[in-house]
Amino acid sequence: MFNQSFTSYLILNGILREDQSANVLKIARETRVRVGVLAVESGLLTVEDVEKINMLQSSQNAKFGDIAVGRGYMTKDQFDSLLTKQPKPHVILKQILTDKAYMSAERFEDLMRGFQASLGASDEAFARIKDNDAQAFVEFAAKVGEDNFMLNTFASLFISTVTRLVDGDILVKAAEKLDSAKLTHFFEQPGVGGGNSYKFCFGTNDEKAALWFAEKYCRFSVNDMDGDGQDSLKEFLNCVSGMMIGVLSNSGKAEIDIEVGEYSKGKDISYDALMVPFVLPAGEFYLTVL
């Protein structure tokens, strides 16, 4: 997330061209190493252990390391040692940009400070952004604060689940206040609790993007949205809604029931909606709570 957002900032300010950014991000993707891979290579976990932890992640709003340590697969010291072997995304990006002579190290740091200022993020918040914290991106990139608790929580959980189970190359964009919208592939999950009703919504106007998302999540070929594509995305939404129910309950905000997602080919939203756009390699998607 960080690299996608920072390179977009560089393009916006005329520092990089779009083709240069695409090439840099491609190299960064090929450079990064997942913690699970490092753990196997270091002999701390087996491949089977990593698969079990990944499965647990699909139903919990927790990072790989939190589950691995909490379940006794490794100690906190062992996990911290692994992290020292895994460069931060922005460190990888800095190395690539300086290697290609697009900028000096000093210029990179200056631009990072400019990026932080453009987000309006404190040093503490920017540290979270550099660590790809989904909620920090929702608050500072999408500009959805905790005063809009439902959308902030839903978008944060959705995006963190995308990065774990679908694809980490995600660009979170500024939320858009719309008085009307039409999405050609649209899922909504009705939720009721605390005397209120909600609709947790996910959609796109790009069928190829929807199929790509479904296929990346379920990990088998998906040909249409009438069958496997629809089922895969409903299952993904069920993962998110399960975490949403837990977070709302634990926070004391609401005891809520969320139903299985309903799919429609074409949905008109004819009243004010704050929508959070995000971009994945296949296209653009939208989140909202109505």
Side-chain angles (χ1 to χ4, degrees):
M1 283 189 290
F2 179 85
N3 287 353
Q4 284 70 28
S5 292
F6 186 51
T7 53
S8 290
Y9 171 80
L10 296 179
I11 292 170
L12 183 64
N13 286 275
I15 310 298
L16 285 184
R17 299 192 310 266
E18 290 192 12
D19 62 315
Q20 291 173 325
S21 173
N23 181 246
V24 165
L25 291 174
K26 179 178 182 295
I27 296 170
R29 283 195 298 272
E30 294 168 351
T31 301
R32 67 190 179 203
V33 181
R34 292 185 181 276
V35 175
V37 174
L38 290 173
V40 172
E41 290 180 350
S42 301
L44 292 173
L45 298 177
T46 65
V47 172
E48 290 75 18
D49 291 335
V50 171
E51 289 175 351
K52 289 177 183 177
I53 294 170
N54 287 336
M55 287 293 294
L56 289 169
Q57 278 191 290
S58 69
S59 60
Q60 300 179 26
N61 182 32
K63 295 180 179 178
F64 184 95
D66 294 337
I67 296 175
V69 173
R71 295 276 177 152
Y73 286 98
M74 66 177 74
T75 67
K76 179 70 165 54
D77 287 344
Q78 287 173 326
F79 178 69
D80 289 343
S81 177
L82 279 181
L83 290 184
T84 65
K85 302 174 183 178
Q86 184 190 48
K88 299 286 188 181
H90 71 279
V91 175
I92 294 173
L93 186 65
K94 179 179 180 180
Q95 185 64 57
I96 296 167
L97 289 169
T98 55
D99 283 350
K100 286 184 168 293
Y102 289 151
M103 63 189 65
S104 66
E106 293 77 13
R107 177 67 168 148
F108 179 89
E109 296 301 332
D110 285 343
L111 289 165
M112 285 271 281
R113 286 188 284 272
F115 180 49
Q116 178 180 350
S118 75
L119 294 172
S122 66
D123 290 344
E124 180 182 357
F126 196 57
R128 291 168 55 211
I129 290 167
K130 288 191 291 185
D131 281 340
N132 284 329
D133 180 274
Q135 189 164 30
F137 275 88
V138 170
E139 183 173 351
F140 292 97
K143 306 297 184 184
V144 178
E146 291 194 358
D147 55 321
N148 191 337
F149 185 80
M150 280 294 181
L151 181 56
N152 178 289
T153 304
F154 176 61
S156 298
L157 290 172
F158 195 103
I159 289 166
S160 65
T161 307
V162 169
T163 61
R164 290 200 311 269
L165 303 180
V166 179
D167 197 291
D169 289 340
I170 180 171
L171 171 64
V172 181
K173 300 171 71 174
E176 304 170 9
K177 187 62 177 286
L178 305 173
D179 59 6
S180 64
K182 182 176 180 65
L183 294 170
T184 56
H185 297 280
F186 187 82
F187 291 83
E188 64 181 18
Q189 289 185 281
V192 179
N196 295 306
S197 60
Y198 307 92
K199 291 181 180 177
F200 302 95
C201 307
F202 165 55
T204 181
N205 283 317
D206 187 336
E207 184 170 22
K208 288 183 179 179
L211 293 171
W212 175 91
F213 191 112
E215 191 167 297
K216 288 277 284 187
Y217 174 64
C218 69
R219 292 179 171 80
F220 59 79
S221 179
V222 174
N223 298 314
D224 61 72
M225 288 301 297
D226 294 323
D228 292 337
Q230 184 180 148
D231 291 343
S232 175
L233 289 173
K234 283 183 178 180
E235 182 59 35
F236 181 87
L237 287 166
N238 285 340
C239 289
V240 178
S241 64
M243 290 184 285
M244 187 83 184
I245 290 168
V247 169
L248 292 175
S249 177
N250 292 335
S251 69
K253 295 286 184 179
E255 294 288 340
I256 192 169
D257 290 320
I258 302 177
E259 298 177 13
V260 174
E262 300 174 356
Y263 170 70
S264 60
K265 279 191 174 180
K267 174 74 174 182
D268 288 306
I269 299 174
S270 57
Y271 38 88
D272 283 352
L274 186 63
M275 305 193 77
V276 176
F278 67 92
V279 182
L280 286 166
E284 190 163 47
F285 301 85
Y286 301 88
L287 301 170
T288 191
V289 179
L290 301 174

